[in-house]
Amino acid sequence: MDTALPWHAPTAPGPLDASLRLPGSKSMTARALVLGANSLGSSTLRGPLRARDTELMAAGLRAMGCHVSTADDNLWLLRPRPLAGPARVDVGLAGTVMRFLPPVAGLADGAVAFDGHPRARDRPMAPLLGALRSLGARIDAGAPAGSRDGLPFTVHGAGRIAGGSVTMDASASSQLVSGLLLSAPGFERGVVVRHVGAPVPRIHLDLTVHMLRSAGAGVDDTRPDVWTVEPGRLHGRAWDIEPDLGSAAPFLAAALVTGGTVTVQGWPPATSQPARRLLELLRAMGGEPALTPRGLVMRGTGAIHGVRADLAGISDIAPVVAALATVADGPSHLFGIGHLRRDESADGLGRLAAELAGLGAEIVQEPDGLYIRPRPLRGGTLRTHGDRRLAYAGAVLGLAVAGVSLDDVACTAKALPEFPRLWSTMVLGYEGGSPEAEARVRRG
């Protein structure tokens, strides 16, 4: 992942008229893999996402003994087996792998070593590792003495975790809670997780709870910032993986920027993802969404309106919304996204503001959001900082502003390896990148 892949964002030649099918949700694929490994009986994933992070998740489960077949791109199969070490798990830069698999390793019999990309060692892990220790797991930190808990580390599984109650600060990432919850049915006493600290977005936690219940777990999330999972065995099942609505946002936004029409095929009529809020926001900004038998059709009206919008719970789409706001017909106030300042080990909100300002946008940062006043933009290079969401924002701006480039489009491989090809085909009507380039995006 050290080799950057620069990419020129194509400018739209006119209103778009495009139809595309997006791969499955990374969040759903990752959770289905973990739940399948913790279940009785086989599980299938129909329409999963094959991307860097999900490949690492499957490889980590295989290393611990689970049978995971990914030979068919459209149908993955899991057959649970007794999990055991010694094993080594490469987490790459995948937050889901580094947070979801240590609790699984605690239920294995033997030592499981975790490490990944050097930058992954800066990602917050201490709350999860501390919680696992308090619940009965034995974990050796490989980091230098005196440093904070993080990669590398080794989980010495004993085939069991006692479980019980634990209090943790998960404000750095909701994955710290989800990682515990996904394996908690296998803990002898289940788990009660209490979060203390700054609020955490509920979108992915709600997905975790929904999928746990779908696999047969007893979950109580009625109290704010408290999650209770009862002990019990999960059941293997067939998972239909929905398209990732976060990855759909830039494609839908393209209809607004160009005054054209973009259809996302296979859009679910009902979903645990915040589809309604996404569509309501795009409608307020000038789009006309319609769910049809062909999929979700987004029509641009030729105008983009400034908005005052609370993005709490849908912060993954904040960069795309901010990009739209920079070319709107009036100012926008985006708030409810202050937690992006604590986005892993970086100030994600500050980075977003700086990169858009580098292309000429007028942005005032606030503790909880951004105030954006449209002004003429210019071409230039947008630095992605390894964040696919910034890459999506740059691509959206490139539709209307000539000369916009990304310093690295390979970061999109975490959730959408086909992004450069899909985007160029949508905008230009043909693939704008070589097969070799797409292969590099997949490999990162």
Side-chain angles (χ1 to χ4, degrees), residues 27 31 170-171 173-175 177-178 181 193 195 198-210 213 219-228 272-274 277 311-316 336 339:
S27 297
R31 285 161 175 78
S171 55
S173 173
S174 64
Q175 293 171 352
V177 174
S178 285
L181 300 184
V193 180
H195 161 65
V200 293
R202 288 293 302 252
I203 171 176
H204 292 110
L205 287 167
D206 289 345
L207 177 62
T208 296
V209 169
H210 171 76
R213 288 175 175 152
V219 187
D220 181 358
D221 64 342
T222 55
R223 290 180 290 170
D225 292 331
V226 179
W227 298 265
T228 301
S272 57
Q273 302 179 77
R277 291 190 61 193
L311 302 185
I314 53 173
S315 59
D316 276 357
H339 66 277

Side-chain angles (χ1 to χ4, degrees), residues 89-434:
V89 174
D90 175 12
V91 307
L93 265 175
T96 49
V97 181
M98 69 179 74
R99 276 80 178 252
F100 290 5
L101 290 192
V104 177
L107 296 171
D109 185 7
V112 181
F114 289 80
D115 203 357
H117 191 280
R119 292 208 312 270
R121 298 180 181 183
D122 296 327
R123 305 281 289 275
M125 286 294 299
L128 175 63
L129 299 185
L132 281 172
R133 289 189 183 102
S134 70
L135 294 171
R138 178 188 160 204
I139 302 174
D140 291 341
S147 65
R148 60 186 178 88
D149 251 341
L151 293 164
F153 58 85
T154 300
V155 179
H156 296 274
R160 57 179 292 276
I161 292 179
S165 297
V166 66
T167 299
M168 64 190 301
D169 181 354
S171 55
S173 173
S174 64
Q175 293 171 352
L176 298 165
V177 174
S178 285
L180 284 177
L181 300 184
L182 288 167
S183 291
F187 299 174
E188 292 179 345
R189 299 199 302 272
V191 76
V192 179
V193 180
R194 293 179 175 85
H195 161 65
V196 294
V200 293
R202 288 293 302 252
I203 171 176
H204 292 110
L205 287 167
D206 289 345
L207 177 62
T208 296
V209 169
H210 171 76
M211 293 185 69
L212 273 165
R213 288 175 175 152
S214 297
V219 187
D220 181 358
D221 64 342
T222 55
R223 290 180 290 170
D225 292 331
V226 179
W227 298 265
T228 301
V229 180
E230 299 295 332
R233 295 310 304 264
L234 302 178
H235 305 292
R237 53 158 291 167
W239 296 98
D240 288 319
I241 307 299
E242 300 172 359
D244 182 68
L245 304 190
S247 295
F251 294 92
L252 298 176
L256 277 68
V257 174
T258 67
T261 300
V262 174
T263 300
V264 177
Q265 302 169 22
W267 191 276
T271 174
S272 57
Q273 302 179 77
R276 177 178 296 179
R277 291 190 61 193
L278 168 62
L279 299 184
E280 288 175 347
L281 179 58
L282 293 179
R283 181 182 288 111
M285 298 191 80
E288 295 181 345
L291 188 60
T292 74
R294 292 182 294 142
L296 191 282
V297 178
M298 180 65 71
R299 293 183 176 87
T301 58
I304 302 175
H305 307 309
V307 291
R308 185 178 186 276
D310 183 355
L311 302 185
I314 53 173
S315 59
D316 276 357
I317 69 168
V320 167
V321 176
L324 284 174
T326 64
V327 293
D329 57 11
S332 293
H333 183 199
L334 311 179
F335 56 95
I337 47 177
H339 66 277
L340 292 178
R341 297 197 182 280
R342 308 180 301 275
D343 195 7
E344 302 292 356
S345 57
D347 178 1
L349 193 59
R351 284 179 170 177
L352 171 60
E355 294 306 321
L356 294 181
L359 299 178
E362 181 181 332
I363 298 182
V364 177
Q365 295 193 52
E366 300 175 339
D368 194 40
L370 302 173
Y371 185 84
I372 301 173
R373 186 182 299 276
R375 55 182 294 181
L377 302 180
R378 57 180 177 269
T381 299
L382 184 146
R383 297 172 299 167
T384 64
H385 302 278
D387 188 337
R388 68 187 183 281
R389 298 168 298 183
L390 281 175
Y392 296 159
V396 168
L397 283 181
L399 294 169
V401 182
V404 174
S405 297
L406 306 181
D407 69 336
D408 180 25
V409 75
C411 61
T412 59
K414 286 177 66 67
L416 190 56
E418 299 90 347
F419 177 76
R421 175 179 59 82
L422 287 170
W423 192 263
S424 295
T425 301
M426 176 186 71
V427 178
L428 303 174
Y430 59 87
E431 297 183 13
S434 67

